[in-house]
Amino acid sequence: MSLDPDIAALLEMVQAGAESGARTPFPQLTAVQARADFDASSPLLDVDPPALPHERRLSLPTRDGAVIEARLYASEAPSDRPPMPVLLYMHGGGFVVGSLDSHQPLCRGLAEDSGAAVLSVGYRLAPEHKFPTAFEDAVDALTWIGREGRAIGLDGRLVAVGGDSAGGTLAAALAIEAKTNKDLPQPVLQVLAYPGLSSRQTSSSYERYGTGHLLERSTVDWFFRQYLRDESDRDDWRFAPLAARDLSGLAPAFIVLAEFDPLVDEGRDYAARLAAAGVPVDLRVYPGMIHEFLRMGNVVADALQARAAIGQALANAFRSGGERAA
């Protein structure tokens, strides 16, 4: 299939902005400048639902004594009678950009569509915080749900992990970590939206779509130079879940990919490896779409349709998990 016409028009605008100098590519910016640019452009792309009846700012402790910010979204106030299922969500942005603000519309939509709570985590970013800080912050957030969630109406037995792009990487790695760390809440579902999964970017889809399809190869290289301490980090499954030797026994996966995304091949490869390891996988590849399309509700209807599909998958997983717990 060809690019969706609205996506093609968006890419033409992006290209025109770069050629005119109105838009500066991330590799030519500092991390602080890139974050400001990313957050400023986000509201132009996505449909922001009205504030939900329950939205709460939280501060979560980390293992090194720091505190990270988080936001809780729910269509009604959680309570302990009964406690509410929760999606732990990690935003995208190459481990360098992205924020609670940039992904607020997506998290509001997921809470509305799933009927569950969504806890969006502001994990620490590179280059100020190198690998594996983002992963460890995600683990600490999941630990916090198990330890403190019940006090604010969250059910530590009905937890999903999810994220888009780099956040999808973190969610996939969390699912692997939870398998061996039984002190963590055990996810009933992992939601992976166009995640980065490979140690090295050598796939055919990188060759086909690494230029001119929003996520540029040069930007990915810049992200990883900020995030990784050295080349050996690339082979660590906490950065590249495809490097994990054993994927058996993981939570079922709902994987959303975009046809014209440099990351689509590694997403397909990961889905195949999960399935071969006996993990239930629901793989959705959206034709005509590009990286980040989930946050483009103002551009394409597929964004809201994919969001609704994720919400339904979460509702089903939480329903099944609740039946097993009963």
Side-chain angles (χ1 to χ4, degrees), residues 3 19 27-28 42 47 84 113-114 129 134 150 176 190 195 225 235 239 249 256 272 292 305 326:
L3 277 169
E19 291 174 353
Q28 298 176 29
S42 291
V47 175
M84 184 176 283
D113 290 340
S114 67
H129 303 281
R150 187 66 180 248
I176 297 172
Q190 51 178 317
R225 285 197 303 273
D235 297 312
F239 167 71
V256 172
E292 289 282 6
Q305 292 168 4

Side-chain angles (χ1 to χ4, degrees), residues 4-254:
D4 177 276
D6 292 322
I7 291 290
L10 172 66
L11 293 176
E12 289 177 6
M13 290 175 55
V14 170
Q15 182 63 28
E19 291 174 353
S20 69
R23 177 180 174 271
T24 304
F26 281 177
Q28 298 176 29
L29 300 174
T30 66
V32 172
Q33 290 170 331
R35 288 170 198 153
D37 182 83
F38 188 86
D39 280 1
S41 64
S42 291
L44 304 176
L45 298 175
D46 210 356
V47 175
D48 193 0
L52 296 178
H54 184 82
E55 296 189 356
R56 179 175 178 182
R57 295 174 182 266
L58 297 167
S59 297
L60 310 184
T62 65
R63 65 190 67 191
D64 61 1
V67 174
I68 56 175
E69 299 306 309
R71 289 182 192 167
L72 183 66
Y73 302 91
S75 295
E76 60 185 55
S79 73
D80 60 0
R81 284 176 281 202
M84 184 176 283
V86 57
L87 166 66
L88 176 63
Y89 196 85
M90 279 68 65
H91 66 76
F95 308 104
V96 178
V97 303
S99 67
L100 298 177
D101 287 339
S102 67
H103 282 64
Q104 178 162 276
L106 177 56
C107 290
R108 280 177 171 164
L110 290 173
E112 200 166 42
D113 290 340
S114 67
V118 174
L119 182 65
S120 179
V121 179
Y123 59 88
R124 288 172 287 178
L125 300 174
E128 297 90 339
H129 303 281
K130 298 279 191 178
F131 174 84
T133 302
F135 170 79
E136 291 175 345
D137 285 354
V139 174
D140 293 345
L142 184 58
T143 301
W144 182 88
I145 290 175
R147 186 181 64 242
E148 307 288 345
R150 187 66 180 248
I152 62 169
L154 303 179
D155 192 339
R157 302 168 305 164
L158 292 177
V159 178
V161 295
D164 61 293
S165 195
T169 307
L170 294 173
L174 261 186
I176 297 172
E177 174 71 10
K179 181 181 76 167
T180 56
N181 185 349
K182 298 305 180 185
D183 291 334
L184 290 173
Q186 297 299 299
V188 298
L189 186 70
Q190 51 178 317
V191 176
L192 314 179
Y194 33 80
L197 299 159
S198 180
S199 297
R200 286 165 183 83
Q201 289 62 56
T202 57
S203 69
S204 296
S205 61
Y206 257 94
E207 295 301 317
R208 293 193 302 273
Y209 309 129
T211 302
H213 293 83
L214 193 66
L215 182 63
E216 301 285 323
R217 175 185 286 276
S218 59
T219 302
V220 175
D221 292 343
W222 180 77
F223 283 149
F224 293 167
R225 285 197 303 273
Q226 312 298 310
Y227 182 52
L228 300 176
R229 297 166 299 185
D230 53 51
E231 276 297 298
S232 67
D233 284 342
R234 286 182 173 273
D235 297 312
D236 191 313
W237 60 262
R238 295 172 298 174
F239 167 71
L242 271 167
R245 293 183 179 180
D246 181 11
L247 298 178
S248 63
L250 301 187
F254 189 85

